[in-house]
Amino acid sequence: MSIDPSNETVAESTYKRIRADIIFGRLLPGRKLKLDKLKDDYATSVSTLREILNRLHSEGLVAAEGQRGFEVAGISEADLRETAELRLLLETHALTQSFENGDVEWEARLVSAHYKLARMEQVMASGDTSQAEDWKRYDWEFHQALISACGSKLLMNTHAAVFDKYLRYQMVALSYRGDVAAEEHQQLLDAAMRRDQETGRKLLARHIQGGVEHALARRPLTDG
Amino acid sequence: MSIDPSNETVAESTYKRIRADIIFGRLLPGRKLKLDKLKDDYATSVSTLREILNRLHSEGLVAAEGQRGFEVAGISEADLRETAELRLLLETHALTQSFENGDVEWEARLVSAHYKLARMEQVMASGDTSQAEDWKRYDWEFHQALISACGSKLLMNTHAAVFDKYLRYQMVALSYRGDVAAEEHQQLLDAAMRRDQETGRKLLARHIQGGVEHALARRPLTDG
DNA sequence: GCTTGCCAGACTTTCGAATGCAGGTGGTTT
DNA sequence: AAACCACCTGCATTCGAAAGTCTGGCAAGC
C-alpha cells in the first residue's frame, strides 16, 4: 500500500494546486507560465507540468499558442458575460430538472449545504474576509447541491467547469456582495423546497446577473 | 523556417489524429490505450501521448483512473441521452441567439454550408457510404454555421465538444438516416433564413431526438 | 537613417530511460 | 484443499537532458 493516503498521483495533486492558484487569483491573468519556474515552484518535472497545463488549456483556464508556451488565460468583460450567460443557461436547466426529480435526499443535501454557506456568510458579513476561499467553496457546493438531482452527470460536469471560470472573475474582483447574495441564497433554498420553478429561475437569473454587474463595477475590464 | 508547412507541433497533429480515431470508431469504446503500443502506432513519445490523453480525458472521450492508465471512454444509453440533451440545450439557445443577431455574412455561411452538406447527402443516398467521414464533417459544419452568429465563443466551443461526443455515438451506430435528416436540414435552413425561432427550435429538437432513437434502434446499448 | 540578415540566449518541445505501483503467480502454511 | 504471503512482471508514472524554435539585439548593407 502506498504511503500517500490520498492515493493520488503527483500530477493529480499538482493539477488541483495550479488550478486553484489560477481560480483564486494567485496566478494572475496573462501571466506567463514558464516551465522552468513552475518546476521549482511546484516541485515537479517539465513533462508532468505540460500534462497539467494542457488539461487546463482545454478547460479554458490557460492559454496556449503554437510554440510559445503557456500563460494564464486573460480576462475580459466579454468573456465574463459569456461565462455568466452559459452558467445561467446550464444552471437554470439543471435547476428545473432538479425541482422535478428531487427527493428527500436531495432536500437534505440542500439544507445541509445552505446551512454551511449561511454560517460562512455570517463570518464574511462580520468583516472577516480571511476565509474567502472557504466561503466560495461553500457557495460552490450549495449551487452544486441545488442541481444535484438533475439526473445528468455530463450536465453537472459541464456546469462545474463553467462555474469555476465564473468563480475566477469573482475572485479577481474580490467582490463580497454579502447581504444581497446571502438573502438570494436563502430565497433559492425556499423556492427549491417549494419546487417553485418560476421563482427559482428568476432568482437564479438575478443572482448571477447581479454578480456580474457587481464584479464589473468593482473592477472594470477592457475587452480583449 | 520549419519544413513542416502547417507550423503544427507533433503533439497537436497527433492529438487530432487520436481524437478522430476515437470519434470515428477506429478506437472502440472500452479499449485499453497502452502507451507502449500507442507509441509505435502514432510514432510519438510516451510523454507526448500522455499530454494528449489527458486532454482527451477532460473532454470526456478518454477514461483515466488513478494508476491504471487510459482507455477509450465507454458508451451507454444513459450517456447518449445526456449528451443529446445537452447538445439540444446548447444548440437551441445558440440558434435562437443567431436568429436574432445573424447578418448577411451569416446567411451566406449557411447557404454555403448547406449546399455542401446537401451534395454529400445525395452521395450517401445513392448508397455510396465510403465518404461517411466527410459527410459527418459537413453535417458538423452546417450545424456550426447555424449557431455561428450567437455571439459567444465559449458557447460555441462548449457546443463543439458536446457535438463531437454525440457524433461518436452516431458513428458507432453507423446510422445513415439519410432522407429524413436531409429533409430536416433543408427545413432548418429555411427556418433560419426566415428567422422563424419557434420552428427552428422544434426542428432542432426533432432532428436530435430522431438521431438518438435511430442510433439506439440500430445498436441497442446497455447501461453502464 | 533605415532595413535586412545573422547570432546568442532563453525557452518550449520531444524523447528514452529510471522509478515505482498493481495485479497475478506460485509457493508455503494451516 | 483453502487461505495467505512474497515475489515477479507488465505497465503507468515521472524525470532530466537533448533537440528544436522563437525573440531581441547587433552589425552590415542599401
Side-chain angles (χ1 to χ4, degrees):
Chain A
M1 185 53 72
S2 148
I3 305 221
D4 178 6
S6 61
N7 201 24
E8 251 179 2
T9 61
V10 172
E12 191 65 16
S13 63
T14 308
Y15 163 74
K16 286 185 188 157
R17 221 141 69 83
I18 296 184
R19 194 171 196 281
D21 285 347
I22 292 176
I23 291 175
F24 291 109
R26 288 181 292 269
L27 290 172
L28 292 175
R31 161 130 169 216
K32 195 87 213 325
L33 294 169
K34 288 184 199 157
L35 292 166
D36 261 349
K37 179 95 190 330
L38 293 190
K39 196 176 88 158
D40 295 340
D41 291 354
Y42 293 96
T44 342
S45 72
V46 176
S47 318
T48 304
L49 282 168
R50 285 182 61 83
E51 284 181 23
I52 293 167
L53 295 178
N54 268 300
R55 228 168 126 186
L56 290 170
H57 173 51
S58 77
E59 293 178 41
L61 288 171
V62 158
E65 209 179 335
Q67 255 128 336
R68 272 183 259 182
F70 301 90
E71 61 185 58
V72 178
I75 56 178
S76 71
E77 178 173 341
D79 184 58
L80 168 55
R81 291 192 186 279
E82 288 183 13
T83 305
E85 188 185 328
L86 186 51
R87 178 189 157 188
L88 181 59
L89 176 68
L90 296 171
E91 196 165 329
T92 301
H93 185 73
L95 191 71
T96 304
Q97 304 270 54
S98 276
F99 278 21
E100 278 168 16
N101 304 336
D103 55 9
V104 178
E105 290 293 329
W106 174 67
E107 292 178 359
R109 283 198 299 276
L110 276 191
V111 174
S112 161
H114 182 264
Y115 175 79
K116 287 190 279 187
L117 173 58
R119 273 315 261 286
M120 194 53 76
E121 278 167 335
Q122 280 175 11
V123 173
M124 296 292 293
S126 74
D128 176 4
T129 57
S130 66
Q131 302 174 65
E133 283 192 29
D134 282 338
W135 164 51
K136 280 300 181 190
R137 207 183 66 241
Y138 287 133
D139 186 52
W140 197 96
E141 286 173 5
F142 176 61
H143 282 277
Q144 200 71 359
L146 273 172
I147 65 173
S148 64
C150 75
S152 170
K153 205 124 189 18
L154 177 62
L155 178 53
M156 289 192 64
N157 288 342
T158 309
H159 172 267
V162 175
F163 193 103
D164 283 344
K165 273 198 73 178
Y166 176 86
L167 183 51
R168 183 166 73 120
Y169 279 98
Q170 296 289 321
M171 294 313 294
V172 168
L174 271 178
S175 59
Y176 175 60
R177 243 182 4 125
D179 300 341
V180 180
E183 174 64 21
E184 286 170 354
H185 284 145
Q186 179 64 53
Q187 291 176 348
L188 263 171
L189 176 64
D190 295 344
M193 300 305 270
R194 289 201 314 275
R195 314 296 170 109
D196 182 345
Q197 296 190 359
E198 185 64 18
T199 304
R201 277 195 290 268
K202 278 184 188 158
L203 281 169
L204 190 59
R206 198 195 306 157
H207 186 59
I208 294 176
Q209 277 150 14
V212 171
E213 297 312 327
H214 181 73
L216 284 173
R218 205 100 188 329
R219 190 186 194 292
L221 296 169
T222 54
D223 271 315
Chain B
M1 182 56 70
S2 148
I3 307 221
D4 177 8
S6 62
N7 201 25
E8 248 179 7
T9 61
V10 173
E12 190 64 18
S13 63
T14 308
Y15 163 74
K16 286 185 187 156
R17 220 143 66 83
I18 296 184
R19 194 172 195 282
D21 285 347
I22 293 176
I23 291 175
F24 291 109
R26 289 182 291 270
L27 291 172
L28 292 175
R31 164 134 169 212
K32 195 88 214 328
L33 294 169
K34 290 187 196 157
L35 293 166
D36 262 350
K37 178 94 189 329
L38 293 191
K39 195 176 91 156
D40 296 341
D41 291 353
Y42 294 96
T44 343
S45 72
V46 176
S47 318
T48 304
L49 282 168
R50 285 182 60 84
E51 284 181 24
I52 293 167
L53 295 178
N54 268 300
R55 228 167 125 187
L56 290 170
H57 173 51
S58 78
E59 293 178 43
L61 288 171
V62 158
E65 207 179 336
Q67 255 128 335
R68 273 183 261 181
F70 301 90
E71 61 184 58
V72 179
I75 56 179
S76 71
E77 177 172 342
D79 184 59
L80 168 55
R81 291 192 186 279
E82 288 182 13
T83 306
E85 188 186 327
L86 186 52
R87 178 189 158 188
L88 180 60
L89 177 68
L90 296 171
E91 196 165 330
T92 301
H93 185 74
L95 191 72
T96 304
Q97 304 269 55
S98 276
F99 279 20
E100 278 168 16
N101 305 335
D103 56 9
V104 178
E105 290 294 329
W106 173 66
E107 292 177 359
R109 283 198 298 276
L110 275 190
V111 174
S112 162
H114 182 264
Y115 175 80
K116 286 190 280 185
L117 174 58
R119 274 314 263 285
M120 194 53 77
E121 279 168 334
Q122 280 175 12
V123 173
M124 295 292 293
S126 75
D128 176 3
T129 57
S130 66
Q131 302 174 64
E133 284 192 30
D134 282 338
W135 164 52
K136 280 300 180 189
R137 207 183 68 241
Y138 287 134
D139 185 52
W140 197 96
E141 286 173 4
F142 176 61
H143 283 276
Q144 199 71 358
L146 273 172
I147 65 173
S148 64
C150 75
S152 170
K153 204 123 190 12
L154 177 62
L155 178 53
M156 289 193 63
N157 288 343
T158 309
H159 172 266
V162 174
F163 192 104
D164 283 343
K165 272 198 74 179
Y166 176 86
L167 183 50
R168 183 167 73 121
Y169 279 97
Q170 296 290 319
M171 293 313 293
V172 168
L174 272 179
S175 60
Y176 175 60
R177 230 172 29 112
D179 299 340
V180 180
E183 174 63 21
E184 285 170 354
H185 283 145
Q186 179 64 53
Q187 291 175 348
L188 264 171
L189 176 64
D190 296 343
M193 300 306 270
R194 289 201 315 276
R195 312 295 170 109
D196 182 344
Q197 295 190 359
E198 186 63 20
T199 305
R201 276 196 290 268
K202 279 184 188 157
L203 281 170
L204 189 59
R206 197 194 306 157
H207 186 59
I208 294 176
Q209 277 150 14
V212 170
E213 297 312 327
H214 181 73
L216 283 173
R218 206 98 186 332
R219 190 184 193 292
L221 296 169
T222 54
D223 270 315

